[in-house]
Amino acid sequence: MCNAASITPTVQTQLQAAYHFCAPIYTIDRPDFLSVVHPISEEYLAKQERPVDEIYPAIMSGSYYADPRITEFAEFVGMTAWNILAEQGYAMGDKIVSFTEMWTQEHYKHSAMEQHIHGYGAQIVGFYFLEVPDNSSRVVFHDPRISKTMIDLPEADVSQATIASQMINFEPKPGLMIFSNAWLAHSFTRHASEKSIKFVHFNLMVQQAQAPLSCKPLPPAEVI
């Protein structure tokens, strides 16, 4: 029988790190949608009659998420957005996601996009890249922790993704799809190519379902 007085309590001597309040970004390659989405995108871009502005060298199409020709693509985006929110821990059993907008952006040389978020009820935002020439813009996501930004220290190596990073960028390619929470600010670096970059941008909101959901969720997007 052990003497209680002789038992040495376990002491934790190794520093443990608990990572919480993360900001996930999701990517998946879906080049199979290009043959459908690209011509529809071109059609909606062609409806924009204004010339390219020298100060803001970009063109944006009207919204087309309701176009029946793009139903399969829209359904995949919508279900993936629903899966992301459910996997993050949100109570999505009686909720649906719906588009607030889906449009194409075409950016010419020297164009850029300032850091911003999408409000007005958006919960998930994303991109689907259609045409990506060499020296294209990169999509950048910014650290959402305001208190960290206020007292930040210099990074040891800005080329490395670390806890100290203030932003992270992704190199686009045709068929790449990216999702993030709408509260995560994003931007695009300045476009350096003589050829334009084209991508679909989409925003989705959450609504109460009118009836219990009966659809089976798609496999989750690949987490990077």
Side-chain angles (χ1 to χ4, degrees):
M1 183 174 180
C2 296
N3 184 343
S6 65
I7 298 176
T8 302
T10 301
V11 178
Q12 179 58 262
T13 59
Q14 183 69 35
L15 185 66
Q16 301 294 310
Y19 294 91
H20 298 288
F21 312 117
C22 61
I25 301 166
Y26 306 82
T27 68
I28 185 170
D29 288 322
R30 291 303 304 261
D32 52 303
F33 284 127
L34 287 172
S35 61
V36 174
V37 179
H38 190 270
I40 295 173
S41 168
E42 290 295 296
E43 179 182 316
Y44 279 83
L45 277 176
K47 296 178 181 180
Q48 305 303 311
E49 297 180 353
R50 68 179 181 83
V52 176
D53 191 297
E54 292 183 358
I55 305 301
Y56 302 102
I59 296 177
M60 299 188 187
S61 77
S63 189
Y64 52 82
Y65 63 83
D67 191 312
R69 296 171 296 173
I70 210 167
T71 297
E72 185 177 354
F73 174 77
E75 287 180 346
F76 175 81
V77 171
M79 187 58 71
T80 301
W82 189 95
N83 285 342
I84 286 172
L85 292 169
E87 290 168 3
Q88 288 181 350
Y90 293 103
M92 296 295 292
D94 60 347
K95 304 291 193 302
I96 62 171
V97 295
S98 58
F99 288 92
T100 60
E101 51 202 342
M102 176 194 291
W103 72 107
T104 294
Q105 296 189 20
E106 181 175 10
H107 291 265
Y108 294 85
K109 190 172 183 178
H110 303 313
S111 181
M113 185 189 297
E114 302 295 337
Q115 177 182 343
H116 66 286
I117 61 171
H118 292 272
Y120 305 105
Q123 290 289 336
I124 293 290
V125 302
F127 309 92
Y128 182 59
F129 293 94
L130 303 173
E131 295 183 22
V132 185
D134 292 338
N135 299 318
S136 279
S137 299
R138 291 192 178 212
V139 59
V140 180
F141 293 91
H142 300 263
D143 191 339
R145 297 168 294 178
I146 299 300
S147 54
K148 174 182 177 295
T149 302
M150 294 174 63
I151 63 168
D152 230 346
L153 294 170
E155 297 178 48
D157 185 352
V158 296
S159 69
Q160 300 298 313
T162 68
I163 296 173
S165 296
Q166 299 176 5
M167 62 188 73
I168 189 74
N169 75 81
F170 290 81
E171 183 175 7
K173 63 180 179 179
L176 176 66
M177 195 178 296
I178 301 180
F179 296 82
S180 75
N181 294 89
W183 45 259
L184 187 60
H186 58 266
S187 65
F188 274 77
T189 62
R190 197 163 299 280
H191 188 61
S193 177
E194 297 292 341
K195 298 180 180 179
S196 62
I197 181 174
K198 298 178 184 179
F199 57 86
V200 181
H201 198 346
F202 47 81
N203 299 329
L204 301 101
M205 66 185 300
V206 173
Q207 295 178 302
Q208 186 70 33
Q210 298 301 312
L213 296 178
S214 59
C215 57
K216 182 179 180 181
L218 294 172
E222 179 185 359
V223 179
I224 300 297

